[in-house]
Amino acid sequence: MTILVTGGAGYIGSHTCVELLEAGYDVIVADNYYNSVPEVLDRVEKITGKKLKRYECDIRDREGLERIFSENKVDAVIHFAGLKAVGESARLPLLYYENNISGSVTLFEVMEKAGCKKIVFSSSATVYGNNPIPYREDMVTGDVSSPYGRTKHFIEKILGDVYNSDNSWSISLLRYFNPIGAHESGLIGEDPNGIPNNLMPYISRVAIGKLEKLTVFGGDYDTKDGTCIRDYIHVVDLAKAHLCAVAKILGTTGIEAYNIGNGKGYSVLDIIHAFEKASGSKLNYVIGGRREGDLPAFYADASKANKELGWTAQYDIDKMCEDTWNFQKKNPDGIK
Ligand code: NAD
Ligand code: UD1
């Protein structure tokens, strides 16, 4: 079976390629390397001892995508390619709509023309907005606070319309909670350009001495220690969820959304303390003001993915922090 992975050189994509190759799939990656480097794919090959096929291709490039489908028999697509910085999306909404939505529509059109109607899409817990917790898949979605989040919501809806128009599609919408951690080899991990926006890459850059201190965004929330609660999930667990989703879509038709989270909430201070334990040193941090748009607490009800995909998260926050620190230590300047 051959799986096309768009955005396969990125953080979650690269970990998923490892799992796919190890499970015996043939893997084709299409990435424009906007937020990654080809070296990541060399490392995926090093971890697995297997080769993947790669195309430097932008998902907005119809001819480039058509070439991939004409040169290969693609059985299913896992669609990671997209821009993901929430703050940037508020400054550059058109870039986000063009890249994420136009790119996705072009991909779906090319897939339809090629007769490949099986797709796993990277959605986000952000589509739930201000719902009660834990989030469940049957809740109304779309009350989102950023253009980035809206691209996820719109693409979910577009895929819903595609399925309604043609029931031979098989579509899995995976709503990720907060992925952190790295492959335990330390060869691949999260390597954002510039100053990180997200918690874990910020913490690891402080720990390695590249940034001076972490500011905890808000210490006065109505939570157990005043800091925000999130559902952190090890990226390898997340990657494995894609294998379960692919196995499911290869054998069925339909459209389903799944929460991919641990189902447990941890505070920012819990993560800091777990990281201190993993790294063996104190982290320099201060409690600062709240970040606009942050919700106090959210986590997944992951029982649907447990039941219907046969997937359960295995790793705890200690392992997530150990693997993040291992990757950071081995790659102090990132992946070049
Ligand atoms: P990432 O930036 O590391 O990976 C995305 C990859 O897509 C990169 O390699 C980038 O170069 C590529 N890309 C972007 N635009 C492209 C285009 N037009 N054509 C071809 N390639 C393109 O991000 P990630 O953390 O691995 O996230 C993967 C997906 O999961 C994204 O769609 C993201 O929105 C979604 N997601 C991520 C998180 C998270 O916390 N990391 C949470 C929820 C959802
Ligand atoms: C963010 C996005 C969300 C996106 C997700 C994955 C926002 C508002 N939300 O989620 O849409 O799907 O990333 O890309 O940006 N924190 C600090 N200090 C920091 C950084 C973060 O205290 O320097 C805190 C935050 O307040 C939050 C927690 O750490 O409580 C996690 O933050 P982050 O990693 O950015 O993820 P989310 O905000 O949950």
Side-chain angles (χ1 to χ4, degrees):
M1 286 284 171
T2 301
I3 312 297
L4 171 64
V5 183
T6 73
Y11 173 45
I12 306 169
S14 57
H15 289 80
T16 303
C17 287
V18 167
E19 298 302 321
L20 287 167
L21 288 168
E22 285 182 343
Y25 288 99
D26 292 322
V27 176
I28 303 168
V29 167
D31 202 303
N32 64 358
Y33 304 119
Y34 180 87
N35 197 34
S36 55
V37 288
E39 168 74 16
V40 170
L41 298 176
D42 300 340
R43 292 180 177 211
V44 168
E45 292 179 341
K46 192 167 169 194
I47 292 169
T48 58
K50 293 183 177 169
K51 290 272 172 210
L52 44 72
K53 200 164 173 182
R54 27 179 121 177
Y55 288 85
E56 182 167 353
C57 176
D58 192 301
I59 54 164
R60 293 164 293 181
D61 170 9
R62 183 180 304 272
E63 283 170 17
L65 286 177
E66 283 175 346
R67 196 178 131 220
I68 298 174
F69 281 88
S70 68
E71 290 179 1
N72 304 278
K73 189 195 161 298
V74 176
D75 294 292
V77 175
I78 306 182
H79 177 31
F80 294 105
L83 303 179
K84 62 165 185 176
V86 172
E88 183 185 65
S89 79
R91 288 194 306 280
L92 301 169
L94 296 177
L95 174 68
Y96 274 67
Y97 290 127
E98 217 265 309
N99 191 80
N100 293 6
I101 298 187
S102 302
S104 294
V105 169
T106 304
L107 172 68
F108 306 154
E109 284 172 344
V110 172
M111 287 176 67
E112 183 171 54
K113 198 169 151 200
C116 174
K117 299 182 183 175
K118 295 184 180 295
I119 185 164
V120 178
F121 171 60
S122 299
S123 188
S124 167
T126 197
V127 300
Y128 288 108
N130 218 348
N131 269 297
I133 48 177
Y135 291 157
R136 284 193 330 269
E137 291 86 348
D138 57 7
M139 288 172 167
V140 174
T141 56
D143 175 23
V144 286
S145 58
S146 71
Y148 162 74
R150 261 183 289 283
T151 68
K152 295 295 173 194
H153 175 66
F154 289 151
I155 297 166
E156 284 198 0
K157 293 295 174 199
I158 290 167
L159 284 169
D161 290 336
V162 167
Y163 177 73
N164 288 337
S165 73
D166 175 355
N167 291 173
S168 65
W169 279 79
S170 187
I171 300 166
S172 188
L173 311 171
L174 300 189
R175 295 177 179 157
Y176 311 156
F177 282 68
N178 287 56
I180 58 173
H183 191 265
E184 71 178 354
S185 63
L187 284 169
I188 55 172
E190 189 169 16
D191 183 24
N193 293 327
I195 296 178
N197 302 304
N198 298 113
L199 180 65
M200 195 48 123
Y202 205 106
I203 288 180
S204 42
R205 296 233 178 136
V206 172
I208 201 84
K210 300 253 173 205
L211 291 169
E212 193 208 336
K213 64 169 180 292
L214 171 79
T215 300
V216 175
F217 296 142
D220 58 352
Y221 286 101
D222 184 16
T223 59
K224 62 174 185 173
D225 59 20
T227 68
C228 292
I229 305 283
R230 294 288 181 272
D231 182 337
Y232 295 92
I233 173 158
H234 197 296
V235 66
V236 172
D237 274 332
L238 178 55
K240 288 180 174 160
H242 292 78
L243 250 67
C244 299
V246 162
K248 170 124 199 221
I249 60 166
L250 284 172
T252 49
T253 57
I255 179 165
E256 291 293 341
Y258 296 102
N259 288 340
I260 307 297
N262 254 295
K264 295 188 197 99
Y266 290 99
S267 72
V268 177
L269 291 180
D270 288 335
I271 297 294
I272 291 173
H273 296 143
F275 196 91
E276 288 179 332
K277 195 166 120 197
S279 66
S281 48
K282 286 276 165 214
L283 190 87
N284 190 14
Y285 71 89
V286 290
I287 308 279
R290 294 180 177 195
R291 178 171 68 180
E292 202 189 326
D294 272 347
L295 291 167
F298 63 83
Y299 53 93
D301 175 339
S303 55
K304 185 178 175 195
N306 302 161
K307 270 193 227 102
E308 294 184 18
L309 295 181
W311 170 86
T312 310
Q314 305 289 325
Y315 298 125
D316 62 15
I317 56 167
D318 290 335
K319 173 77 171 152
M320 298 179 210
C321 291
E322 282 158 22
D323 288 340
T324 302
W325 181 230
N326 180 45
F327 171 73
Q328 184 67 75
K329 271 187 308 186
K330 288 187 173 156
N331 304 275
D333 299 316
I335 301 176
K336 295 278 174 275

